[in-house]
Amino acid sequence: MTDEPFSLEVTIAAPVDDVWSALRDPELIRRWHGWHFDGLDKEIEVIYHQNVVESAAEHRLEVQGGDLFELADLDGRTRLRMTRAPRGGDPEWDAYYDDITEGWITFVHQLAFALERHPGADRRTVFLSGAAASPVLEATGLAAVAGLAPASPYELEGPTGETLRGQVRFRSANQVGLTVDGWGDGLLVAAETPPSPANPGGAAMMVLTTYGLDDAAFADLESRWTAWWGRNFPEAPANDQDAPAGAERVPDA
């Protein structure tokens, strides 16, 4: 643990005004933030529009809890820097600090992927979460590609019997993101959340993002992955019901 606030910086191949709109328009946020569930619209409202401080002229947004987005125009591209509020301001938030950090890593890379690869497109998602009964990268076979550099091609046999191929999109200490050609140039994010006060045993999470699949193909994908996940990862214990408002951004909340 460090007292320094966490920061994440990515360069997005999209104009700064497009990135800013994707952070402010709820309909655009739905195209990249997290995964689909009944409370997604409420989550977007809480995180991106309640108790925020914004400057459109400076492309600067401080969201609930003090986390800060800053955008810089790079002549047609955009540098996005996200800086977490420091620890110690609110004991409730501190308990979730590392979990929320992992959530932001996922969301920022989802934003960049959506704007670069699928601007203006809707998606369909599958969200899988459970206790860290075993390392998720090992169980899925993704450990074999986790060491590759971003943009490297990969191909492997997935745990549900399908061949996964595409490119390594990103890698962090606890997450890997892969594009998946067979999901309409989709995105697979797998994360191993380390133990924290909010999740003492740690947790495992995957988000599968698809584009252009018909209803039957998407239902088949969802059924196969959900069944495999249920056999390998038990449900994680529920988080503390006294979690602060906005902690629903955390993948395992």
Side-chain angles (χ1 to χ4, degrees):
M1 182 179 294
T2 175
D3 292 332
E4 291 296 319
F6 172 85
S7 65
L8 171 65
E9 188 173 296
V10 299
T11 299
I12 303 173
V16 67
D17 287 339
D18 290 356
V19 180
W20 180 253
S21 294
L23 284 169
R24 306 311 301 128
D25 184 333
E27 288 303 314
L28 299 182
I29 296 171
R30 284 181 59 86
R31 290 177 171 163
W32 60 265
H33 173 90
W35 47 88
H36 295 109
F37 71 108
D38 289 342
L40 179 58
D41 289 334
K42 177 184 175 183
E43 177 171 296
I44 289 170
E45 170 66 20
V46 169
I47 294 174
Y48 297 99
H49 290 281
Q50 289 185 9
N51 303 315
V52 304
V53 179
E54 67 173 292
S55 170
E58 298 176 311
H59 296 117
R60 189 176 189 275
L61 174 68
E62 182 177 314
V63 300
Q64 183 185 101
D67 297 339
L68 177 65
F69 286 86
E70 297 172 289
L71 307 183
D73 185 358
L74 300 180
D75 193 23
R77 300 187 303 160
T78 302
R79 183 178 68 242
L80 182 155
R81 182 177 179 83
M82 195 284 300
T83 305
R84 295 293 322 280
R87 300 176 191 266
D90 184 332
E92 288 185 306
W93 277 111
D94 284 355
Y96 288 84
Y97 194 93
D98 293 332
D99 300 277
I100 294 173
T101 294
E102 293 299 323
W104 279 129
I105 292 170
T106 301
F107 301 155
V108 166
H109 284 289
Q110 286 179 312
L111 168 61
F113 177 77
L115 286 175
E116 291 185 353
R117 305 285 281 260
H118 297 280
D122 291 324
R123 58 179 182 153
R124 289 203 275 194
T125 61
V126 178
F127 174 62
L128 306 168
S129 178
S134 60
V136 66
L137 298 186
E138 303 264 347
T140 57
L142 301 183
V145 301
L148 298 177
S152 298
Y154 79 91
E155 181 173 330
L156 57 84
E157 190 73 13
T160 64
E162 65 186 303
T163 298
L164 305 176
R165 63 172 62 89
Q167 291 182 326
V168 177
R169 179 69 188 184
F170 73 91
R171 183 72 170 100
S172 70
N174 300 308
Q175 300 190 37
V176 63
L178 306 173
T179 69
V180 183
D181 294 348
W183 300 351
D185 184 35
L187 181 68
L188 181 159
V189 177
E192 299 171 354
T193 305
S196 71
N199 284 307
M205 181 275 288
M206 294 184 72
V207 185
L208 318 180
T209 299
T210 73
Y211 294 89
L213 300 187
D214 62 30
D215 290 345
F218 179 78
D220 180 62
L221 180 147
E222 183 176 39
S223 176
R224 285 185 287 107
W225 280 88
T226 301
W228 174 83
W229 187 269
R231 293 192 298 269
N232 289 272
F233 294 92
E235 287 189 24
N239 279 355
D240 189 342
Q241 295 302 306
D242 293 326
E248 59 267 32
R249 79 182 71 174
V250 184
D252 305 295

